[in-house]
């Protein structure tokens, strides 16, 4: 990583490297109806007691403060956000907050057959649904309990409800690497953009193996060779909306079909720390300025100690001032964060 001059904090929610923070991911729960192998261990997972979770009032108050500091987009995640009771009420409360332009969600899609319409009516604008494989048996194995048919129904229900939908697949050698083209085609047939996520070594590296790592260039190679095309960058130069870099199929074999586009979240091999615009709030109210480190500031403790909005604001600005220049995920897993992905929400 190139070293850049650390600047003083010049405005609220601009960090010491001049990155403007406008995006907040809020984990609503560390619980989930699935048990994905790369996200949580099979045994020994300790879930936080419900009393530790932020209440709706606390989430609403914190998001209002973040909005005042420049956050415009919020992503609800988990665990699985749709297992949080009264999720519809929460979405409508958050969507009504002044200056919050877009409330979006990342979900495994399992509850979307029933919830897609009500969520859209409550103010949800967009959902990223995780789908790593189209093979029902492999899906069951990867999620340890998932139901592929329901998730596909959930994707179709989200589209029918008018939500913007993207698909997320963690790319894993020896698991779903041979399905990358099929997943692209599945998404494109529905007018959806597929996105592939490089496997990240959370959980102290215990759920990660470097042999399974499929890099962004390998993913591009698989797609280009399958479809007989070139992949050309298609992010419109806009790297502020999220970590995904977009690529478009180009060349005669692409048939000039519009929408043949994919995203790659290349946190490991082509990291995007220079343009990181995000913060993460865990289900228990801890503010993480980077996914790759375990240290955090408890905003919930400030609220529950009777702190004022100004106290919270100061803590947020201080935390942002200390946001590190970049992650240090090690490809071997050494130095990886101890926390499980399920506890922070991706
Ligand atoms: N339950 C929801 C879901 O599955 O979409 C939201 C939470 S999940 C933690 C958010 C995203 O993180 C999912 O797309 C999941 O595939 C991804 N993820 C989980 N563990 C990961 C890992 N070790 N490396 C990369 N992505 C991971
Ligand atoms: Fe649950 Fe999502 Fe983690 Fe799978 S990736 S265990 S669905 S939180």
């Amino acid at each position: 990583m190139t070293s850049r001059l650390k600047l003083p904090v010049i405005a609220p929610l601009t960090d010491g490297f001049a990155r403007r923070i406008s995006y907040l991911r809020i984990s609503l729960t560390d619980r989930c109806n699935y048990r994905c192998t790369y996200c949580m261990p099979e045994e020994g997972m300790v879930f936080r007691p419900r009393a530790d979770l932020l209440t709706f009032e606390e989430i609403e108050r914190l998001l209002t403060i973040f909005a005042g500091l420049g956050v415009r987009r919020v992503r609800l995640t988990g665990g699985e956000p749709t297992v949080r009771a009264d999720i519809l009420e929460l979405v409508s409360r958050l969507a009504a907050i002044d200056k919050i332009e877009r409330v979006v969600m990342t979900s495994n899609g399992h509850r979307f057959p029933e919830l897609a319409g009500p969520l859209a009516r409550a103010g949800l604008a967009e959902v990223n649904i995780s789908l790593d494989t189209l093979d029902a048996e492999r899906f069951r194995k990867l999620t340890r309990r998932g139901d592929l048919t329901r998730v596909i129904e959930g994707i179709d229900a989200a589209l029918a409800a008018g939500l913007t939908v993207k698909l997320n697949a963690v790319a894993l050698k020896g698991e779903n690497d041979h399905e990358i083209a099929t997943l692209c085609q599945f998404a494109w047939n529905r007018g959806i953009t597929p996105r592939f996520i490089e496997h990240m070594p959370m959980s102290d590296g215990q759920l990660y193996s470097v042999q399974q790592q499929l890099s962004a260039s390998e993913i591009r190679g698989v797609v280009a060779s399958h479809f007989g095309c070139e992949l050309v960058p298609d992010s419109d130069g806009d790297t502020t909306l999220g970590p995904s870099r977009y690529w478009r199929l180009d060349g005669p074999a692409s048939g000039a079909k519009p929408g043949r586009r994919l995203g790659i979240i290349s946190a490991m091999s082509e990291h995007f720390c220079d343009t990181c615009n995000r913060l993460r709030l865990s289900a228990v109210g801890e503010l993480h300025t980077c996914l790759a480190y375990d240290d955090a500031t408890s905003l919930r403790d400030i609220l529950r100690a009777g702190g004022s909005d100004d106290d919270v604001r100061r803590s947020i600005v201080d935390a942002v001032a200390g946001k590190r220049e970049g992650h240090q995920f090690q490809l071997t897993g050494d130095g990886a964060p101890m926390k499980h992905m399920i506890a922070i929400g991706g």
Side-chain angles (χ1 to χ4, degrees):
M1 178 175 313
T2 52
S3 194
R4 289 178 293 145
L5 187 63
K6 195 163 192 281
L7 305 166
V9 177
I10 48 172
L13 293 203
T14 300
D15 75 5
F17 301 96
R19 293 172 297 198
R20 185 87 174 90
I21 308 295
S22 57
Y23 176 69
L24 177 69
R25 295 177 72 98
I26 304 181
S27 170
L28 299 183
T29 172
D30 59 353
R31 289 165 202 255
C32 186
N33 41 5
Y34 286 6
R35 295 280 181 274
C36 301
T37 52
Y38 45 71
C39 183
M40 64 186 293
E42 187 158 24
E43 312 258 307
M45 181 75 206
V46 181
F47 296 104
R48 304 297 294 255
R50 278 168 213 283
D52 284 2
L53 302 193
L54 291 175
T55 62
F56 284 9
E57 287 67 31
E58 287 169 336
I59 296 172
E60 199 175 17
R61 181 168 165 205
L62 288 176
L63 186 57
T64 305
I65 295 171
F66 277 106
L69 287 169
V71 165
R72 294 290 172 265
R73 203 175 143 87
V74 60
R75 177 168 299 279
L76 305 179
T77 176
E80 172 51 38
T82 59
V83 304
R84 179 91 191 230
D86 300 321
I87 180 71
L88 298 175
E89 183 201 331
L90 181 63
V91 167
S92 68
R93 282 166 73 160
L94 300 185
I97 292 175
D98 192 29
K99 301 201 183 104
I100 292 297
E101 291 164 4
R102 236 168 140 73
V103 177
V104 304
M105 182 181 279
T106 298
S107 169
N108 60 30
H110 185 90
R111 299 203 63 212
F112 267 67
E114 298 82 33
L115 283 182
L119 279 169
R121 287 192 287 281
L124 192 74
E126 181 184 319
V127 63
N128 290 349
I129 295 186
S130 299
L131 179 67
D132 301 324
T133 171
L134 291 167
D135 175 316
E137 217 170 289
R138 184 170 299 110
F139 186 79
R140 187 92 189 157
K141 191 177 134 234
L142 272 173
T143 58
R144 297 200 186 104
R145 57 174 65 177
D147 178 342
L148 178 64
T149 309
R150 270 194 74 83
V151 173
I152 294 175
E153 277 170 30
I155 292 166
D156 290 335
L159 288 169
L163 293 169
T164 301
V165 181
K166 293 196 189 97
L167 290 193
N168 281 345
V170 179
L172 296 167
K173 259 185 204 156
E175 281 290 351
N176 62 355
D177 45 344
H178 60 292
E179 285 195 73
I180 286 176
T182 324
L183 285 163
C184 285
Q185 199 58 67
F186 170 89
W188 293 334
N189 288 346
R190 288 166 164 77
I192 296 175
T193 302
R195 308 190 320 161
F196 296 93
I197 308 174
E198 287 185 347
H199 191 199
M200 290 172 238
M202 308 293 284
S203 308
D204 198 19
Q206 284 169 31
L207 308 178
Y208 174 85
S209 99
V210 73
Q211 281 76 31
Q212 280 203 299
Q213 181 73 53
L214 198 66
S215 70
S217 68
E218 288 173 312
I219 295 166
R220 290 195 293 271
V222 170
V223 175
S225 96
H226 181 90
F227 293 100
C229 304
E230 300 275 301
L231 289 191
V232 295
D234 191 34
S235 290
D236 298 331
D238 186 355
T239 52
T240 59
L241 285 176
S244 200
R245 298 284 181 272
Y246 289 93
W247 302 82
R248 175 170 47 82
L249 272 64
D250 197 33
S254 73
K257 291 191 184 115
R260 288 186 134 200
R261 186 172 186 264
L262 64 142
I264 304 181
I265 301 176
S266 51
M268 303 295 290
S269 68
E270 298 167 8
H271 75 77
F272 34 79
C273 302
D274 287 0
T275 55
C276 181
N277 66 344
R278 62 199 43 218
L279 298 175
R280 293 174 165 84
L281 187 63
S282 76
V284 295
E286 290 175 333
L287 180 65
H288 292 258
T289 55
C290 178
L291 180 64
Y293 300 92
D294 286 336
D295 55 348
T297 305
S298 177
L299 301 183
R300 185 203 61 187
D301 287 354
I302 300 172
L303 295 183
R304 293 192 185 173
S308 67
D309 287 3
D310 268 344
D311 295 332
V312 175
R313 215 170 277 126
R314 262 193 301 276
S315 289
I316 296 170
V317 171
D318 283 353
V320 167
K323 183 171 161 73
R324 294 180 179 84
E325 188 176 9
H327 73 65
Q328 292 183 357
F329 279 135
Q330 305 293 318
L331 283 172
T332 59
D334 286 347
M338 304 286 287
K339 64 180 175 300
H340 304 302
M341 194 67 104
I342 193 168
I344 182 70

